Amino acid sequence: PIRGIWLKRSTQLITSRGCPYKCIYCGSNLIFGRKVRRRSVDNVISEIQFLIKNYNIDGLWFVDDTFTLDKSWVLEFCRQLKQNNIILKWGCQTRVNVLSEELLLEMKKSGCVQLDIGVESGSEKILAVLQKGITPQQIESAFVLTKKVGLRTLASFMIGNPEEDMNDINKSLDLAKKIKANYTLFFFATPFP
């Protein structure tokens, strides 16, 4: 799942369940709820050590909805990876409004190589319709920050959102060109009953 990185053996791990955000297109809260429950850092480190010892993994992908939601947890996790001499390449999913330079630097030092970020739209109007809780300016700032720190990014966008017109789609295309993520994905919004 870490694009462009050759790994002999990798797996996925989840460290938390639940998401406090209210994006209208996401069903995560129907499965895990809005209250975030997170495993302890020690518990996650123990599982990683088990995976290295028994399966010789060299890569991890964290499938949490928003891995960086709790900054202090992530900083402690990164510190413990280093303290325990755990050398892995890893990546995660996150949001632009829960990133900082301090956090990204620590993540990189501990082996993080890629962040997948749900951008969804370059239109402020559509971001509001989606109840994403972010702005195009926050998106641009986050991608500038990840480049500064030296982390690769994947930006995902959606087309066909409620109330979206060609002007909004063009804003998404313009933003995709401006942020220059290492990987960019466009999905079609598909309504389900």
Side-chain angles (χ1 to χ4, degrees):
I2 303 175
R3 292 155 184 87
I5 301 284
W6 183 262
L7 297 166
K8 290 182 285 181
R9 301 189 105 185
S10 64
T11 191
Q12 298 177 344
L13 205 66
I14 189 165
T15 70
S16 66
R17 291 184 180 165
C19 181
Y21 297 101
K22 298 178 180 172
C23 308
I24 66 167
Y25 55 85
C26 181
S28 177
N29 66 80
L30 298 173
I31 300 165
F32 297 126
R34 294 210 191 279
K35 183 180 180 209
V36 178
R37 286 102 50 222
R38 190 173 281 283
R39 296 166 58 189
S40 71
V41 171
D42 290 339
N43 179 271
V44 175
I45 293 291
S46 292
E47 183 173 353
I48 292 169
Q49 290 170 325
F50 173 86
L51 291 167
I52 291 170
K53 180 182 176 189
N54 294 288
Y55 299 99
N56 197 29
I57 65 161
D58 60 349
L60 270 178
W61 184 256
F62 292 99
V63 295
D64 304 52
D65 287 324
T66 309
F67 184 78
T68 60
L69 193 59
D70 182 342
K71 180 180 176 179
S72 61
W73 188 96
V74 177
L75 290 172
E76 179 60 26
F77 171 73
C78 293
R79 287 186 194 108
Q80 284 205 32
L81 280 176
K82 291 183 284 187
Q83 286 172 358
N84 287 285
N85 296 315
I86 296 173
I87 300 170
L88 290 172
K89 290 183 177 167
W90 60 275
C92 63
Q93 302 175 135
T94 189
R95 293 171 54 97
V96 298
N97 61 322
V98 289
L99 299 177
S100 69
E101 186 169 354
E102 176 195 14
L103 182 66
L104 294 174
L105 282 168
E106 286 302 315
M107 290 170 68
K108 183 177 181 184
K109 287 178 197 172
S110 70
C112 182
V113 293
Q114 182 173 310
L115 302 174
D116 283 15
I117 300 172
V119 173
E120 318 320 348
S121 179
S123 163
E124 197 155 356
K125 175 187 97 180
I126 297 305
L127 289 170
V129 168
L130 296 175
Q131 296 178 30
K132 181 75 179 175
I134 61 173
T135 66
Q137 295 75 26
Q138 286 176 303
I139 295 165
E140 287 180 43
S141 296
F143 279 84
V144 166
L145 197 55
T146 55
K147 281 182 182 50
K148 178 182 177 185
V149 169
L151 287 169
R152 297 170 347 135
T153 52
L154 177 143
S156 60
F157 289 82
M158 297 190 317
I159 291 180
N161 296 297
E163 299 183 34
E164 191 171 60
D165 58 28
M166 278 308 298
N167 183 48
D168 298 309
I169 293 170
N170 286 329
K171 286 180 180 180
S172 291
L173 294 173
D174 291 342
L175 183 62
K177 291 174 189 173
K178 194 170 191 178
I179 62 176
K180 295 181 181 160
N182 297 89
Y183 302 94
T184 302
L185 297 176
F186 278 84
F187 298 97
F188 293 106
T190 307
F192 292 100

